[in-house]
């Protein structure tokens, strides 16, 4: 499959310290990849480096020629007094025809919101409008940073279904940053766990069946990611021992690890 973005031996420094090291990553056309990890694990920094907004301290990032990227932020402040309609918002910074705007809103499940004031939208409506704005540019790669952070569980489930439909209908790849167990298991082709480096990765069914899955995600969490209480204090030899380190619970990560940068 065509690789849209590739990173090799990537290192990122922030504020005089290394936040990510030895990152090998790739995302292919049509693939859905989800990044998970504790707060401060480098998820957002990796995304910023992949799109060119953050300069690597080491390693390389290669993007396909002419790659079109649509980005959906975690949230956006939209005060109730903001004198901007959804339709106008969709035409910033690039003008959109009415047909293009309506098609993008329909794809995002936000039909009929064009005349609405941006500041009057609910959290779920705003997320769908942000998704519509990203889709309006016909992206090859759609990036979503915690897309369900402000949504309740039914709203999150509905948004995930929309994202899967977008991938199917538009054919774009999707890269998500998430802490939500549902998106990891139900809406991803591949899951990558970060904590300063790639701790483990693999297809969701591999992760679900692995003994190390319970160490990473816990049990009975109702969708909450127990990873925030798990310390990845093992090390990896990325040349010869992909994911074969020991975690704090003695579980071997090889059961979770999948093809690196596939």
């Amino acid at each position: 499959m065509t690789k849209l973005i590739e990173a090799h031996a990537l290192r990122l420094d922030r504020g005089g310290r290394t936040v990510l090291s030895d990152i090998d990553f790739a995302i292919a056309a049509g693939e859905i990849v989800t990044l998970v990890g504790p707060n401060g694990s480098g998820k957002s920094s990796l995304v910023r480096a992949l799109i060119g907004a953050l300069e690597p301290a080491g390693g390389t990032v290669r993007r396909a020629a002419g790659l079109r990227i649509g980005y959906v932020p975690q949230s956006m402040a939209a005060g109730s007094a903001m004198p901007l309609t959804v339709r106008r918002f969709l035409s910033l910074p690039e003008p959109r025809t009415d047909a293009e705007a309506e098609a993008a809103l329909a794809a995002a499940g936000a039909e009929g919101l064009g005349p609405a004031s941006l500041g009057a939208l609910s959290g779920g409506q705003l997320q769908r409008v942000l998704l519509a704005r990203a889709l309006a540019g016909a992206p090859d790669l759609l990036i979503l940073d915690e897309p369900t952070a402000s949504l309740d569980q039914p709203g999150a489930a509905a948004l995930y279904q929309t994202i899967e439909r977008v991938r199917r209908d538009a054919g774009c790849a999707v890269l998500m940053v998430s802490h939500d167990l549902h998106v990891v298991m139900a809406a991803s082709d591949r899951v990558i766990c970060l904590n300063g480096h790639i701790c483990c990765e693999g297809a969701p069914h591999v992760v679900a069946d692995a003994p190390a899955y319970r160490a990473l995600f816990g049990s009975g969490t109702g969708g909450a990611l127990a990873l925030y209480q798990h310390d990845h204090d093992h090390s990896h030899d990325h040349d010869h021992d992909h994911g074969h380190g020991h975690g704090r619970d003695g579980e071997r990560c090889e059961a979770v690890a999948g093809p690196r940068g596939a």
Side-chain angles (χ1 to χ4, degrees):
M1 293 184 291
T2 301
K3 292 182 179 179
L4 303 180
I5 298 181
E6 291 183 85
H8 296 287
L10 185 68
R11 191 181 92 245
L12 299 176
D13 294 344
R14 298 289 299 275
R17 68 183 184 88
T18 297
V19 295
L20 281 175
S21 61
D22 199 21
I23 300 295
D24 291 334
F25 171 89
I27 185 166
E31 187 179 22
I32 296 184
V33 176
T34 299
L35 303 177
V36 299
N39 292 328
S41 62
K43 301 185 298 294
S44 294
S45 293
L46 176 56
V47 168
R48 293 182 64 199
L50 294 175
I51 65 177
L54 187 62
E55 187 70 23
T60 60
V61 176
R62 186 187 69 82
R63 289 172 285 276
L67 180 66
R68 298 186 305 274
I69 297 175
Y71 178 72
V72 180
Q74 181 177 144
S75 62
M76 186 188 77
S80 59
M82 183 177 288
L84 188 67
T85 66
V86 168
R87 173 67 183 85
R88 176 61 177 156
F89 177 66
L90 293 181
S91 289
L92 297 175
E94 297 181 14
R96 307 290 180 197
T97 67
D98 287 343
E100 289 171 335
E102 287 301 320
L105 287 171
E111 299 94 332
L113 289 180
S117 170
L118 198 65
L121 301 178
S122 68
Q125 289 173 327
L126 181 57
Q127 281 302 102
R128 288 182 179 275
V129 167
L130 292 173
L131 176 59
R133 186 168 180 260
L135 293 175
D140 304 304
L141 173 62
L142 180 64
I143 298 178
L144 304 103
D145 188 357
E146 297 279 10
T148 62
S150 62
L151 305 181
D152 58 18
Q153 197 165 28
L159 185 63
Y160 293 152
Q161 291 174 351
T162 298
I163 292 167
E164 289 183 286
R165 186 177 68 249
V166 164
R167 189 268 294 265
R168 182 186 69 240
D169 295 345
C172 62
V174 180
L175 175 62
M176 285 188 283
V177 174
S178 182
H179 68 279
D180 194 317
L181 183 59
H182 295 296
V183 69
V184 171
M185 303 314 297
S188 300
D189 298 317
R190 186 157 47 98
V191 179
I192 298 175
C193 175
L194 290 176
N195 195 12
H197 63 291
I198 295 179
C199 298
C200 36
E201 67 176 295
H205 74 274
V206 174
V207 175
D209 292 338
Y213 171 80
R214 294 172 180 82
L216 292 173
F217 294 94
S219 60
T221 59
L225 185 63
L227 179 64
Y228 294 105
Q229 285 76 48
H230 178 79
D231 295 326
H232 288 291
D233 55 0
H234 53 276
S235 62
H236 297 267
D237 179 343
H238 289 290
D239 291 327
H240 302 99
D241 193 23
H242 296 309
H244 288 196
H246 287 277
R248 62 182 297 181
D249 303 308
E251 298 287 354
R252 293 179 65 85
C253 282
E254 63 183 335
V256 181
R260 299 294 304 278

